[in-house]
Amino acid sequence: MNYIIFDLESTCWKEKSGRIREIIEIGAVKIDSTQYIVSEFDAFIKSVINPRLSDFCQELTSIQQSDIDKADLFPQIIGDFQAWIDIEAPYVLCSWGFYDRTQLKADCSLHGVDAAWVNAHISLKHQFAEIKKAPKARRHEISLKT
């Protein structure tokens, strides 16, 4: 069993705008069942709906417009990511909360990519809350700093 601990960055704006967000970076590590880091994955993705990053997004993520301009599109990068994961072998996607899973599914839908492979997912934030026996009403307050 491999555990894919991943984090996404997506297009963003300072004001709540209702704009469609797109993944612009995937960072991940693959850990095997012995807790050994097998490999790492990091790739920028060229957004198509809003190809120009907002100043806010660049400041928040430290991703530069030039990184996005020379990146490949989502279908290519997600294919590379799936190959790196080896989705034919047992794996679990792990992220801090459910946002990353939701965004992956949204981008798969946007680009006509089957998203069934994303269902093998757990939220480390929620697992941590269960282990710490955090009250359900306060679980949304848990952060990586906790």
Side-chain angles (χ1 to χ4, degrees):
M1 171 70 72
N2 285 316
Y3 299 91
I4 310 303
I5 301 171
F6 75 105
D7 184 47
L8 304 177
E9 299 298 341
S10 64
T11 53
C12 54
W13 301 267
K14 188 171 187 173
E15 69 284 346
K16 299 282 183 196
S17 63
R19 296 180 196 164
I20 295 174
R21 295 176 67 148
E22 296 172 85
I23 298 168
I24 54 175
E25 183 180 24
I26 300 174
V29 295
K30 184 188 299 184
I31 299 175
D32 67 17
S33 57
T34 66
Q35 300 176 1
Y36 175 76
I37 296 177
V38 176
S39 62
E40 299 178 17
F41 183 94
D42 187 48
F44 292 114
I45 300 172
K46 184 180 289 192
S47 50
V48 293
I49 295 175
N50 293 291
R52 300 292 312 161
L53 296 181
S54 69
D55 291 340
F56 172 78
C57 190
Q58 290 181 67
E59 290 171 23
L60 181 68
T61 65
S62 298
I63 298 171
Q64 300 303 305
Q65 185 65 49
S66 59
D67 297 323
I68 300 308
D69 290 343
K70 62 186 175 191
D72 287 322
L73 296 173
F74 181 84
Q76 174 64 49
I77 298 299
I78 212 63
D80 294 347
F81 188 51
Q82 290 172 325
W84 175 80
I85 291 170
D86 185 6
I87 62 172
E88 300 303 318
Y91 69 93
V92 175
L93 297 170
C94 309
S95 65
W96 190 256
F98 292 110
Y99 167 78
D100 296 278
R101 178 186 68 179
T102 301
Q103 190 64 52
L104 262 180
K105 286 184 172 189
D107 278 49
C108 283
S109 177
L110 176 67
H111 294 277
V113 175
D114 180 23
W117 65 278
V118 180
N119 291 330
H121 175 271
I122 62 170
S123 163
L124 296 174
K125 177 179 181 176
H126 292 82
Q127 296 290 315
F128 179 77
E130 298 252 341
I131 291 167
K132 292 296 188 178
K133 301 192 183 331
K136 289 191 185 230
R138 301 211 45 199
R139 290 186 180 183
H140 67 280
E141 298 172 7
I142 293 174
S143 72
L144 288 173
K145 294 178 185 176
T146 305

